[in-house]
Amino acid sequence: MLTEWWRRGAVTAAVGVLSVSLAACGEPDDNAPHPGEPSPKAMVLRLATTDQVTSLDPAGPYGVASRTVQANLYQTLLTIMPGKPTPVPDAADCQFDSPTTYTCSLKEGLKFPNGHELTSSDVKFSFERLLKLKTPNGPAPLFSSLTSVSTPDDLTAVFHLKSPDARLPYLLTTTAGSIVDEEYYPANKLLDTKAMGSGPYQLAAYRPGERIMLARFDGYRGPRGPQNDGADITFVKDSTALYQAVTTGKTDLAFHRFGPNLLDKLRTSDQVQLVESDSAAIQFYAFHMKSLTSRKLAVRRAFAQLLDRQTLVKRVYGDHVAPLFSLVPPGFGGQVDAFKTEYKQPNKTAAAAILKEAGIVVPVPLTVGWTPVQYGTTAKAEVLELKRQLDASGLFRVTLRNADWPEYQTLARAGAYDVYYGSWIPEYPDADDYLAPFVQAGGGFQNGYRSSAAAKLLQQETTEQNGLERDDLIGQLQGVLAKEVPAVPAWQSRFTVAAGKDIENVPAALNPLSFLYLSGLRK
């Protein structure tokens, strides 16, 4: 009933706009419905996902599941379009006036769906609110270099920084940089189930944990004008339900967590199109420096020398993921395959020499932590393959220990394992966000690793304004991490969606950060 009500409303709104247009020009429209003919059916896309949205508020918890919804409801100052690696204007055109001053000139006539004008005051409010709320697991730390936003006039917002921050244009493309209506949002609390943004869509209905409906917002002025009338997104419980929804035609597009077996079945199905692109998500093995074993550089380097990514990926994932030879995956500025350069091919003799030179007795006992649900059904198969490789070398004796997700996070942070299995999806589309979590004090993966060389390079690349020089610094930093091995990259995932064969423009909808831009989709 909710779907039918919403569709009728969308059609009625469209007809109302058409009538106003005709009255204004005073001429007949050959494409308009003639008296007695039915109104055109709204093109509403049906989506299904295993995601669980935690908040519609862009200042709320910064999870991947929420980004698909937020990215379509809100407008940002800058955005990144398919095939373009650098930010382009969305709500504004921006530039550095100095290393610590960044000015954004807003487009004229921007509005929110409630009719309120979008001005520089809303921009200032949005960022000040984000920093004030400091939501746990929220995106406020992304803008730690920001001191204030000034508004010389209604169309100008000036960002003032504590120190030069070359990442700022990329940060402004994220949902964390969404502009909200200052007359709608409270300054001191989240609105988890409501939304008022100026993006391509507006919120039509929301039942947390069940479904969300987005309606086309015709007032959007940016590069992502919708080619459809809206989206009806259903949240399903597991990969089987996801598979059934798309193969039976109950949904137009399904995404996230199919698993290799179901993806293989979808590839041979004549009912759907399977679209894959490189994802920004990576999997890795991190050492914790509280472990006396992991503190030994030779142990970490021997591990890195032995890991056979090609075999691991082939045996566990087929061709659904790609071997990864740096903590920064291909496609990001400054990326180099640092671990391939440092360790060449997997080599037992070379690993044995590393341990022997350090006077380490073999086999080295090594406890590897993992969790059975969070990383999918194949996580167990992967750690078993890792154990097989390391044990077979005779240089390590691996013990696997697992825990459910909440407990696992606590144990991993506390140093309960010598090595723990982890994943990362960057919060902003820049190589820095793969490096800072391991190097920066207070970063996401605090495993006790400290390196003056790495810290210096991180600070230099963050402040460097010249793109080519910054890429070189990022490359050098990856080299240091390959030599000192706080973590060993394993593989890069792919973002895969299944869609009906009548759905167009699916590849352009996939964002590497694992969310979808819906505006280009049509059927």
Side-chain angles (χ1 to χ4, degrees), residues 62 148 213 268 368 429 457 519:
Y62 196 58
S148 64
M213 294 183 176
T268 60
V368 177
L457 286 166
S519 56

Side-chain angles (χ1 to χ4, degrees), residues 278-497:
D278 288 336
S279 168
I282 66 168
Q283 297 284 148
F284 58 85
Y285 293 94
F287 293 91
H288 204 295
M289 302 308 164
K290 281 189 177 180
S291 159
L292 294 178
T293 300
S294 293
R295 284 183 199 170
K296 299 173 182 176
L297 177 59
V299 169
R300 306 196 302 271
R301 288 180 58 83
F303 182 110
Q305 182 66 72
L306 285 172
L307 180 62
D308 186 344
R309 297 167 179 81
Q310 302 279 6
T311 299
L312 184 149
V313 164
K314 183 177 180 180
R315 288 191 174 193
V316 181
Y317 299 99
D319 59 354
H320 295 294
V321 305
L324 184 64
F325 297 92
S326 173
L327 289 171
V328 179
F332 290 85
Q335 193 274 344
V336 294
D337 283 342
F339 277 76
K340 182 177 284 188
T341 300
E342 184 69 20
Y343 301 100
K344 309 297 187 293
Q345 297 296 321
N347 189 308
K348 173 184 172 180
T349 302
I354 291 171
L355 293 171
K356 183 177 181 180
E357 184 177 354
I360 296 174
V361 177
V362 297
V364 178
L366 200 67
T367 300
V368 177
W370 67 286
T371 186
V373 176
Q374 181 68 18
Y375 301 134
T377 56
T378 51
K380 182 176 182 180
E382 179 175 343
V383 294
L384 285 172
E385 170 60 19
L386 174 73
K387 174 178 169 59
R388 185 196 68 78
Q389 290 186 16
L390 296 180
D391 286 352
S393 72
L395 302 176
F396 288 93
R397 185 175 66 252
V398 174
T399 300
L400 299 177
R401 291 182 182 168
N402 74 81
D404 290 336
W405 180 240
E407 182 185 7
Y408 178 71
Q409 294 178 87
T410 300
L411 291 172
R413 291 192 192 103
Y417 314 112
D418 299 318
V419 184
Y420 64 90
Y421 183 47
S423 71
W424 180 241
I425 300 177
E427 297 170 317
Y428 52 95
D430 185 73
D432 175 88
D433 201 22
Y434 291 96
L435 305 171
F438 293 95
V439 177
Q440 189 176 55
F445 298 104
Q446 290 300 290
N447 60 352
Y449 169 67
R450 296 289 182 271
S451 168
S452 58
K456 181 179 180 180
L457 286 166
L458 183 71
Q459 191 274 333
Q460 289 176 324
E461 64 86 2
T462 301
T463 58
E464 178 57 58
Q465 299 291 306
N466 182 289
L468 292 177
E469 292 184 15
R470 182 170 185 252
D471 284 351
D472 180 65
L473 292 166
I474 288 171
Q476 291 181 49
L477 178 50
Q478 290 166 83
V480 170
L481 296 180
K483 284 178 169 36
E484 298 184 352
V485 205
V488 178
W491 50 267
Q492 176 186 10
S493 68
R494 292 196 174 100
F495 185 14
T496 306
V497 302

Side-chain angles (χ1 to χ4, degrees), residues 129-209:
R129 175 176 181 265
L130 174 73
L131 297 177
K132 179 180 180 180
L133 287 173
K134 294 182 180 178
T135 307
N137 299 316
L142 295 181
F143 293 95
S144 59
S145 65
L146 180 62
T147 57
S148 64
V149 180
S150 61
T151 54
D153 57 58
D154 284 350
L155 295 179
T156 306
V158 183
F159 292 79
H160 303 279
L161 308 177
K162 299 174 186 175
S163 59
D165 190 346
R167 308 168 305 156
L168 184 60
Y170 294 92
L171 296 175
L172 293 176
T173 70
T174 68
T175 55
S178 297
I179 307 165
V180 302
D181 181 0
E182 65 177 323
E183 297 179 64
Y184 187 88
Y185 283 79
N188 56 359
K189 68 176 182 179
L190 297 175
L191 287 184
D192 288 324
T193 60
K194 298 181 180 180
M196 187 57 62
S198 58
Y201 300 89
Q202 57 186 305
L203 183 64
Y206 182 36
R207 292 177 180 170

